Amino acid sequence: MSSEPEPGVAPDETWERNWVGDPVLITVDGEDFRVRAYRTPSGAWGYDFDWLSGPHEYGFGSSGAGMSRAEMEQAIRDFLADIDPATGYLAE
């Protein structure tokens, strides 16, 4: 495996997330998450899900169209279903 970078689009290093609205606190299956929305330079929606009650500083992101609260809760359930209970991280 080469240590050289793969060709592709370089990220815009000057771009910073500008949060849209207040964070949303959601509890799903006894686990607490903070969800923050932002807009990308292209205008797409992005979401950061911070797992507040998890065993590690951990979470996940999602992008695409605006998400309803029900869609956020489903995204969290999908994330939690992939967590290895022994490690608290995504299962390999």
Side-chain angles (χ1 to χ4, degrees), residues 9-81:
V9 178
D12 179 357
E13 295 187 24
T14 62
W15 178 71
E16 294 182 25
R17 282 189 173 94
N18 290 314
W19 306 114
V20 177
D22 293 326
V24 177
L25 298 177
I26 299 176
T27 301
V28 174
D29 300 334
E31 299 294 338
D32 299 323
F33 286 80
R34 176 182 55 223
V35 184
R36 295 179 290 174
Y38 60 92
R39 296 300 288 258
T40 67
S42 68
W45 283 99
Y47 297 87
D48 282 345
F49 293 76
D50 300 317
W51 189 7
L52 302 177
S53 60
H56 314 287
E57 290 186 24
Y58 202 51
F60 66 99
S62 180
S63 62
M67 295 179 82
S68 68
R69 185 176 182 100
E71 290 169 325
M72 291 177 190
E73 291 173 358
Q74 187 59 52
I76 291 169
R77 281 190 185 88
D78 293 344
F79 168 78
L80 291 173

